[in-house]
Amino acid sequence: MAQAEFSEIPTQSKMRKKIGEGGFGKVYLYCDPNTSLLFAIKHIKLVQTKAELSQFTDKLRNEIQILSSIKHERIVQYYGCEESKEEVLIFLEYMPGGSLYDHMHDFGPFNEAVTRTITRQILQGLAFLHESNIIHRDIKAANILRDTVGNVKVTDFGVSKQLTSITEAGPHTTVGSFHWLAPEIITSDNYGKNADLWSLGCTVVELLTTKPPFADIEPIQVILKIASCKHPEYTLPKVTSENLREFLNITFKKDWNARTSALKLLEHPFVEVCKTLEEIERKDREINKLKEQKVCKASDEIVRKDREIIILKEEKEILLRALARYRSRLNDGKGQKTKFA
């Protein structure tokens, strides 16, 4: 589905239905009658008693203006915002597949193969945000949205600090996310981008089991557990590979510097195999494109296109053999982990 592009925020849009709800407000699906494009608007009720309200809404507006200039295939697009005395409206890209949390609620946990692909795509989004000096602060399945073919994008990033200050939920807006918090966020004001990697580890556990670590502990008590534990408590499926377990061990290191980085984790064996699959898909797209171009070409051009197709097919076959060897090693070693430096 093509992403909506607006030269300015639609002013005569029509609401269709509610598509989501969270700590900061409700999300509705809208349609721009001038273009028929679909988009989402998050309605956020404001605290009307705070003297600092205009200051915080100004910060929110400025931050969303910056975020609206950020474009990446793994990031839900911000379009802008409007505010009144009662609420702030944030205009967002519409993702028809809903959240990963919704998907699990309807269909149960994801298997490791799908979790691997999702994790790689989240890491791609986080690597881009971190390079842009943006910390998400609230990575969890509910904040990862799907398109119609299973690809995912990260949403609800960058503005949570301002929203906490101006919404009716006030300082309690993070209650629903306590189970995903990194220990350094709890114990210190000095935390960095790698806090998102701890939350990513919690999200991977959530995808495989439908629950984050410490799921059976009340939110207030879980803060003490996270701050004091050497490693989070969770139970993974018995068939979980060693590569996945080692990936989680990295994300759950108490020393946040030891979690490396989102960019570095893209090279971890647990997710790196997806790079081969992505390359195979790219080769297929190139082959199909060349086949389409042949239809309108002269005979000598057709011969050249045929040669290009043969080369692409040979390259694809090499990638398939490499993928088969990787899977064979996993099967022979019963999921034995591959070294990650």
Side-chain angles (χ1 to χ4, degrees), residues 19-37:
I19 56 176
E21 185 170 357
F24 292 133
K26 299 177 181 178
V27 184
Y28 294 87
L29 176 62
Y30 281 76
C31 178
D32 179 4
N34 296 319
T35 62
S36 77
L37 292 174

PDB file of all heavy atoms in Angstrom, residues 19-37:
ATOM      1  N   ILE A  19      -9.209   2.890  15.777  1.00  0.00           N
ATOM      2  CA  ILE A  19      -8.345   1.766  15.423  1.00  0.00           C
ATOM      3  C   ILE A  19      -7.316   1.464  16.503  1.00  0.00           C
ATOM      4  O   ILE A  19      -6.542   0.513  16.365  1.00  0.00           O
ATOM      5  CB  ILE A  19      -7.624   2.015  14.080  1.00  0.00           C
ATOM      6  CG1 ILE A  19      -6.837   3.332  14.131  1.00  0.00           C
ATOM      7  CG2 ILE A  19      -8.610   2.013  12.932  1.00  0.00           C
ATOM      8  CD1 ILE A  19      -6.011   3.585  12.870  1.00  0.00           C
ATOM      9  N   GLY A  20      -7.301   2.257  17.579  1.00  0.00           N
ATOM     10  CA  GLY A  20      -6.336   1.983  18.636  1.00  0.00           C
ATOM     11  C   GLY A  20      -6.544   2.873  19.844  1.00  0.00           C
ATOM     12  O   GLY A  20      -7.241   3.888  19.775  1.00  0.00           O
ATOM     13  N   GLU A  21      -5.938   2.464  20.964  1.00  0.00           N
ATOM     14  CA  GLU A  21      -6.042   3.236  22.192  1.00  0.00           C
ATOM     15  C   GLU A  21      -4.844   2.903  23.069  1.00  0.00           C
ATOM     16  O   GLU A  21      -4.431   1.749  23.168  1.00  0.00           O
ATOM     17  CB  GLU A  21      -7.338   2.896  22.931  1.00  0.00           C
ATOM     18  CG  GLU A  21      -7.588   3.742  24.158  1.00  0.00           C
ATOM     19  CD  GLU A  21      -8.997   3.536  24.735  1.00  0.00           C
ATOM     20  OE1 GLU A  21      -9.784   2.775  24.125  1.00  0.00           O
ATOM     21  OE2 GLU A  21      -9.281   4.143  25.764  1.00  0.00           O
ATOM     22  N   GLY A  22      -4.262   3.940  23.678  1.00  0.00           N
ATOM     23  CA  GLY A  22      -3.106   3.735  24.541  1.00  0.00           C
ATOM     24  C   GLY A  22      -3.077   4.733  25.671  1.00  0.00           C
ATOM     25  O   GLY A  22      -4.062   5.450  25.920  1.00  0.00           O
ATOM     26  N   GLY A  23      -1.933   4.785  26.359  1.00  0.00           N
ATOM     27  CA  GLY A  23      -1.821   5.648  27.517  1.00  0.00           C
ATOM     28  C   GLY A  23      -1.965   7.118  27.197  1.00  0.00           C
ATOM     29  O   GLY A  23      -2.382   7.910  28.037  1.00  0.00           O
ATOM     30  N   PHE A  24      -1.622   7.511  25.955  1.00  0.00           N
ATOM     31  CA  PHE A  24      -1.658   8.917  25.594  1.00  0.00           C
ATOM     32  C   PHE A  24      -2.930   9.320  24.853  1.00  0.00           C
ATOM     33  O   PHE A  24      -3.123  10.497  24.563  1.00  0.00           O
ATOM     34  CB  PHE A  24      -0.445   9.273  24.725  1.00  0.00           C
ATOM     35  CG  PHE A  24       0.852   9.205  25.471  1.00  0.00           C
ATOM     36  CD1 PHE A  24       1.944   8.560  24.913  1.00  0.00           C
ATOM     37  CD2 PHE A  24       0.989   9.764  26.721  1.00  0.00           C
ATOM     38  CE1 PHE A  24       3.152   8.501  25.585  1.00  0.00           C
ATOM     39  CE2 PHE A  24       2.186   9.714  27.406  1.00  0.00           C
ATOM     40  CZ  PHE A  24       3.269   9.084  26.835  1.00  0.00           C
ATOM     41  N   GLY A  25      -3.802   8.404  24.509  1.00  0.00           N
ATOM     42  CA  GLY A  25      -5.027   8.787  23.824  1.00  0.00           C
ATOM     43  C   GLY A  25      -5.544   7.713  22.889  1.00  0.00           C
ATOM     44  O   GLY A  25      -5.052   6.586  22.884  1.00  0.00           O
ATOM     45  N   LYS A  26      -6.523   8.095  22.099  1.00  0.00           N
ATOM     46  CA  LYS A  26      -7.161   7.179  21.164  1.00  0.00           C
ATOM     47  C   LYS A  26      -6.772   7.533  19.731  1.00  0.00           C
ATOM     48  O   LYS A  26      -6.542   8.693  19.402  1.00  0.00           O
ATOM     49  CB  LYS A  26      -8.679   7.255  21.322  1.00  0.00           C
ATOM     50  CG  LYS A  26      -9.167   6.856  22.724  1.00  0.00           C
ATOM     51  CD  LYS A  26     -10.669   7.019  22.861  1.00  0.00           C
ATOM     52  CE  LYS A  26     -11.131   6.636  24.271  1.00  0.00           C
ATOM     53  NZ  LYS A  26     -12.582   6.825  24.451  1.00  0.00           N
ATOM     54  N   VAL A  27      -6.704   6.497  18.884  1.00  0.00           N
ATOM     55  CA  VAL A  27      -6.308   6.680  17.491  1.00  0.00           C
ATOM     56  C   VAL A  27      -7.483   6.323  16.589  1.00  0.00           C
ATOM     57  O   VAL A  27      -8.114   5.274  16.759  1.00  0.00           O
ATOM     58  CB  VAL A  27      -5.094   5.797  17.131  1.00  0.00           C
ATOM     59  CG1 VAL A  27      -4.633   6.079  15.705  1.00  0.00           C
ATOM     60  CG2 VAL A  27      -3.952   6.036  18.114  1.00  0.00           C
ATOM     61  N   TYR A  28      -7.757   7.205  15.627  1.00  0.00           N
ATOM     62  CA  TYR A  28      -8.873   7.011  14.719  1.00  0.00           C
ATOM     63  C   TYR A  28      -8.378   7.015  13.273  1.00  0.00           C
ATOM     64  O   TYR A  28      -7.401   7.686  12.935  1.00  0.00           O
ATOM     65  CB  TYR A  28      -9.918   8.116  14.896  1.00  0.00           C
ATOM     66  CG  TYR A  28     -10.606   8.104  16.248  1.00  0.00           C
ATOM     67  CD1 TYR A  28     -10.061   8.781  17.334  1.00  0.00           C
ATOM     68  CD2 TYR A  28     -11.798   7.410  16.431  1.00  0.00           C
ATOM     69  CE1 TYR A  28     -10.681   8.759  18.576  1.00  0.00           C
ATOM     70  CE2 TYR A  28     -12.434   7.391  17.665  1.00  0.00           C
ATOM     71  CZ  TYR A  28     -11.868   8.066  18.739  1.00  0.00           C
ATOM     72  OH  TYR A  28     -12.490   8.046  19.968  1.00  0.00           O
ATOM     73  N   LEU A  29      -9.079   6.258  12.438  1.00  0.00           N
ATOM     74  CA  LEU A  29      -8.801   6.232  11.010  1.00  0.00           C
ATOM     75  C   LEU A  29      -9.584   7.350  10.327  1.00  0.00           C
ATOM     76  O   LEU A  29     -10.778   7.531  10.573  1.00  0.00           O
ATOM     77  CB  LEU A  29      -9.204   4.880  10.415  1.00  0.00           C
ATOM     78  CG  LEU A  29      -9.054   4.715   8.899  1.00  0.00           C
ATOM     79  CD1 LEU A  29      -7.601   4.855   8.485  1.00  0.00           C
ATOM     80  CD2 LEU A  29      -9.615   3.372   8.455  1.00  0.00           C
ATOM     81  N   TYR A  30      -8.894   8.095   9.475  1.00  0.00           N
ATOM     82  CA  TYR A  30      -9.506   9.207   8.748  1.00  0.00           C
ATOM     83  C   TYR A  30      -9.278   9.040   7.254  1.00  0.00           C
ATOM     84  O   TYR A  30      -8.393   8.298   6.820  1.00  0.00           O
ATOM     85  CB  TYR A  30      -8.903  10.542   9.183  1.00  0.00           C
ATOM     86  CG  TYR A  30      -9.429  11.084  10.490  1.00  0.00           C
ATOM     87  CD1 TYR A  30      -9.010  10.545  11.704  1.00  0.00           C
ATOM     88  CD2 TYR A  30     -10.325  12.147  10.523  1.00  0.00           C
ATOM     89  CE1 TYR A  30      -9.482  11.045  12.908  1.00  0.00           C
ATOM     90  CE2 TYR A  30     -10.800  12.659  11.720  1.00  0.00           C
ATOM     91  CZ  TYR A  30     -10.369  12.106  12.906  1.00  0.00           C
ATOM     92  OH  TYR A  30     -10.840  12.612  14.094  1.00  0.00           O
ATOM     93  N   CYS A  31     -10.077   9.768   6.502  1.00  0.00           N
ATOM     94  CA  CYS A  31      -9.919   9.805   5.045  1.00  0.00           C
ATOM     95  C   CYS A  31      -9.925  11.259   4.578  1.00  0.00           C
ATOM     96  O   CYS A  31     -10.761  12.056   5.015  1.00  0.00           O
ATOM     97  CB  CYS A  31     -11.043   9.035   4.363  1.00  0.00           C
ATOM     98  SG  CYS A  31     -10.955   9.065   2.557  1.00  0.00           S
ATOM     99  N   ASP A  32      -8.966  11.601   3.730  1.00  0.00           N
ATOM    100  CA  ASP A  32      -8.930  12.928   3.127  1.00  0.00           C
ATOM    101  C   ASP A  32      -9.846  12.911   1.897  1.00  0.00           C
ATOM    102  O   ASP A  32      -9.535  12.252   0.905  1.00  0.00           O
ATOM    103  CB  ASP A  32      -7.497  13.270   2.716  1.00  0.00           C
ATOM    104  CG  ASP A  32      -7.397  14.634   2.046  1.00  0.00           C
ATOM    105  OD1 ASP A  32      -8.420  15.341   1.977  1.00  0.00           O
ATOM    106  OD2 ASP A  32      -6.293  14.988   1.594  1.00  0.00           O
ATOM    107  N   PRO A  33     -10.987  13.620   1.911  1.00  0.00           N
ATOM    108  CA  PRO A  33     -11.943  13.545   0.791  1.00  0.00           C
ATOM    109  C   PRO A  33     -11.395  14.095  -0.518  1.00  0.00           C
ATOM    110  O   PRO A  33     -11.880  13.746  -1.593  1.00  0.00           O
ATOM    111  CB  PRO A  33     -13.133  14.388   1.295  1.00  0.00           C
ATOM    112  CG  PRO A  33     -12.552  15.299   2.312  1.00  0.00           C
ATOM    113  CD  PRO A  33     -11.442  14.541   2.963  1.00  0.00           C
ATOM    114  N   ASN A  34     -10.357  14.929  -0.444  1.00  0.00           N
ATOM    115  CA  ASN A  34      -9.797  15.516  -1.662  1.00  0.00           C
ATOM    116  C   ASN A  34      -8.895  14.547  -2.415  1.00  0.00           C
ATOM    117  O   ASN A  34      -8.687  14.694  -3.618  1.00  0.00           O
ATOM    118  CB  ASN A  34      -9.009  16.788  -1.313  1.00  0.00           C
ATOM    119  CG  ASN A  34      -9.895  17.874  -0.746  1.00  0.00           C
ATOM    120  OD1 ASN A  34     -11.006  18.099  -1.221  1.00  0.00           O
ATOM    121  ND2 ASN A  34      -9.418  18.551   0.295  1.00  0.00           N
ATOM    122  N   THR A  35      -8.342  13.572  -1.695  1.00  0.00           N
ATOM    123  CA  THR A  35      -7.411  12.629  -2.329  1.00  0.00           C
ATOM    124  C   THR A  35      -7.802  11.179  -2.119  1.00  0.00           C
ATOM    125  O   THR A  35      -7.233  10.301  -2.757  1.00  0.00           O
ATOM    126  CB  THR A  35      -5.991  12.822  -1.744  1.00  0.00           C
ATOM    127  OG1 THR A  35      -6.030  12.531  -0.338  1.00  0.00           O
ATOM    128  CG2 THR A  35      -5.507  14.255  -1.956  1.00  0.00           C
ATOM    129  N   SER A  36      -8.745  10.919  -1.211  1.00  0.00           N
ATOM    130  CA  SER A  36      -9.183   9.581  -0.786  1.00  0.00           C
ATOM    131  C   SER A  36      -8.092   8.827  -0.025  1.00  0.00           C
ATOM    132  O   SER A  36      -8.218   7.632   0.217  1.00  0.00           O
ATOM    133  CB  SER A  36      -9.674   8.734  -1.970  1.00  0.00           C
ATOM    134  OG  SER A  36      -8.602   8.231  -2.731  1.00  0.00           O
ATOM    135  N   LEU A  37      -7.010   9.503   0.357  1.00  0.00           N
ATOM    136  CA  LEU A  37      -5.939   8.856   1.099  1.00  0.00           C
ATOM    137  C   LEU A  37      -6.352   8.633   2.554  1.00  0.00           C
ATOM    138  O   LEU A  37      -7.010   9.476   3.163  1.00  0.00           O
ATOM    139  CB  LEU A  37      -4.666   9.710   1.064  1.00  0.00           C
ATOM    140  CG  LEU A  37      -3.974   9.828  -0.299  1.00  0.00           C
ATOM    141  CD1 LEU A  37      -2.825  10.817  -0.215  1.00  0.00           C
ATOM    142  CD2 LEU A  37      -3.460   8.471  -0.762  1.00  0.00           C
TER     143      LEU A  37
END
